[in-house]
Structures are given as C-alpha cells and as structure tokens.
Amino acid sequence: MGSGHECGPLPVIALADCNNFYVSCERVFRPSLEKRPVIVLSNNDGCAVARSNEAKAIGIPMGAPYHQIRKLCEGNGVVVLSSNYELYGDMSSRVVSVLARFAPELEVYSIDESFLDLTGVPSPLRLSTRMRDQVKQWTGIPISVGLGSTKTLAKAANRLAKKQGIGCQLVAKDDREALERIAIEDVWGIGRRLSVRLRRIGLLNAWQFARAPSPSIRAIGGVTLERTQRELGGISCLEMEEISPPRKNTCSSRSFGKPVMELEELEEAVANYAIRATRKVRSEGSLASGLQVFIMTNRFREDQPQYSNSRVLGLDEPTDDPIRIVQNAKKMLRDMYRSGYAYKKAGVILLDLVSSASRQGLLFEEHGSPRRQDFVNAVEEAASRYGGGGAFWGGQGIGKQWRMRREMRTPRYTTHWDDLPLVR
C-alpha cells in the first residue's frame, strides 16, 4: 500500500468464561462451599455436569453417573447438588450485563461464555483484568479471559488461563510455546474423533496443526476443519454475532422423575413442554409452522416392555399461540399413547420457525383474532412477571408428580420470592 494509507488496529477478541459456573453460582450464596469438593448433577440427578477444582482433584470425571461415584463422593465429603437452572440462568444474565460495559460488541456464546471485541483498546490485557475483577465484585462469579486475534485463538488462550490459574492470557498466532501446550483434541472445533485422525499424521498439538499443509487438513475434515486451522493462524473466519441467528426448530424435553403410566400425567407433561417451547419461540419473535410430539420408555430397562413413537403435524398457519399448540400436542399424544407401558421421557418440537413479521391469519379462523391474542399476551406477561405460579394454563396441571427429580436443589435465591435469602 502507498505511504498515505494506514492499516487499522489489529483485531483483538476476548473470551470471558465463568469458572466451574454451576458450582460458582452455588458458592455465591453458600460461602461455606468454598475450598470444598462440590459437584452438580444433571436432570433427575443422573450425572456430574459440573465439578469444583477440589472435586476434579479427587478424580471425579465429567459426566460420570452418580450411582457409580456415590461411594467416592461419600468417602471424600463431596457436596452433591441438583441442578438449579433458574439460579444459573439469572446469574448468567447478571454476568453478561457486567461484561457489556467493557465492549460495544458482545456475543453470548453459551450460558457461561461470551465473546467480546476489544479491537482498538490500548491495553486489552489490562482491561480484561479489570473486567474480571468487576465481574467477581458485582456478581461473585470468577471468570477467566482469553485474548487472541481470532475466536479460536481466544478459546485457546482461555484454556491456558484456566489451566494455569492466571485469570487472563493473551495468545498470538506465532506463540509457539503456548500453542504447543494445547493438545490437538483440546482445540476448539476438533474434539476426540477428528483428533484421532490428526494424531495419525503426526499432528499432536495446536502449533503443529496450525502449520500443517492445508490440503491435508481439508482431506481429513473438509472446509470446516480448514477454517479452524486458519483461525489458529490468525485469519478470522468466524464473525462476531451480536444477535443470534433465529432457530429453525426448538425442542423442549425432559426425562420424568418417575415412570409415568397414565395418559393424564403424560398430557400434563406434554402441555408443559409445549408451553415452554412456545415461550422460547415467542421470545425470539418467531412462529411455528409445524409440531412434533414424541414419547418413549426407558430403553435401559430390558426387563420392561419397550415402546416409542412420534407424530408430526403441519399447521395450516404459522403460530405462537400456546392454546392452539397445546391442543394439537395433546391430540397427537392421545393418538400414539398405548397403555401398559412405563414412559420415561416425552418432548415437543416446534418445527420450521419463521419470523412473526410474516404472520398472516386465516380468513375464517378465530384463533388469530385480536381478542384472543390480547388474552394470550396477558397470561404470558403475568407468567413472565410473576413466574409459573403467578399464571399458568390449566392443561399444565398443578401437582406435576412426573416432573424431573431434583432432590438436592438449593433455593432459587434470585428468581423466587419464597427463596430470597434473609439477612438477620
């Protein structure tokens, strides 16, 4: 370029990742859990999905079924908790609100990870340290921050920051020492299956992978894997997404806390899943063009008769009307229900989502009338403001004996009036 032109500032992407997020949320309201081994279990208290560093040191693997590690936990004084999704979701929102103060462009990647564009910041590492301190002070959640010129390099830096316990880490594309410390299976986007093939050709770490011939990489994993290689080489291939792209489908499904035999209980569960899926769709300004309902027994119980089935329905007009969706879901459930089976799981999937801006009602149907929409909006607004107990649809039931088991769940400190912590 000519002397009259100047290059813009080098891009700097930061990945802020909450440390052991579920455990950290629990420790905010129970400081007595600090320095103690803690694990959080998945739905129905099935598997370990979060572990404190102390629990990892004991040897509790990620995803281990609780019944297999129960004795290990009891013998080492491990605190075992059920998942408290209401608390985790609210604490995630609080962390994001703090992070948003430090960068004009932020992408929420998952419940505990966010990318920030710090391009043009005079000292991104110093800003990241201040951001980390402020998140900890305002929310109580510890985070690690990785910095790089691409998302993949930021991910690699974050991994090293966590592993070394240094809080913030910057990794450049030519930082051989840092990239050699990242095993090939730990590179973002590679995983275990691809890493086996890459190891066969002598690519054992991120540095070797980044410098390998591109045709060899493309032959193993196609353009997607080559894009990962380019990212490690400092070439940005993954743009920041401030607004998540709209979903094509959305699913709401849970395993039951106990086997369900009766149709009435299944109808309650399906109605609740339909409402939950519909609320996701409404929050994104979308409409569902189709609906799928499925049920299944426990395939691991070989001593019991097995049955599974599903139904799909194309709607005559896209909708976000929970009444209509629940009515259709229950009708589909009745068509496929068979008595004499112990059902373990059910779910509802809303299909072919489209923008609500394209809403066009049918000429002779009442469910698109303004009066009905006002009624639905009023109920949903009350449920959003006061929680599920403040307003709910009759089909959702009251007792909900089928709901998933969370016997060791802590209080919903920030989202439920009855669980607010008291200061005396």
Side-chain angles (χ1 to χ4, degrees), residues 273-332:
Y273 300 150
I275 294 295
R276 189 176 295 129
T278 304
R279 284 174 178 161
K280 290 182 189 177
V281 167
R282 290 171 66 90
S283 70
E284 297 174 354
S286 298
L287 305 171
S289 303
L291 172 66
Q292 180 177 359
V293 178
F294 63 88
I295 54 175
M296 62 181 65
T297 53
N298 188 348
R299 66 181 185 275
F300 298 107
R301 290 295 302 271
E302 297 179 357
D303 58 320
Q304 295 180 350
Q306 299 294 313
Y307 173 72
S308 63
N309 207 338
S310 68
R311 291 283 190 277
V312 177
L313 172 69
L315 300 171
D316 50 12
E317 63 167 318
T319 185
D320 62 358
D321 184 339
I323 300 175
R324 186 177 176 215
I325 291 174
V326 168
Q327 287 174 339
N328 281 291
K330 291 172 72 171
K331 183 179 184 301
M332 295 163 68

Side-chain angles (χ1 to χ4, degrees), residues 63-122:
Y66 180 53
H67 68 87
Q68 294 182 2
I69 59 173
R70 183 190 295 270
K71 290 185 178 179
L72 179 62
C73 292
E74 293 173 349
N76 289 274
V78 177
V79 178
V80 181
L81 302 172
S82 301
S83 294
N84 190 340
Y85 298 117
E86 298 86 348
L87 174 65
Y88 308 151
D90 184 69
M91 294 299 290
S92 175
S93 298
R94 295 174 186 233
V95 170
V96 169
S97 69
V98 179
L99 294 175
R101 295 170 175 263
F102 290 86
E105 193 173 351
L106 178 145
E107 174 191 338
V108 178
Y109 179 68
S110 67
I111 192 172
D112 60 348
E113 294 177 287
S114 293
F115 287 104
L116 300 92
D117 189 349
L118 302 184
T119 301
V121 173

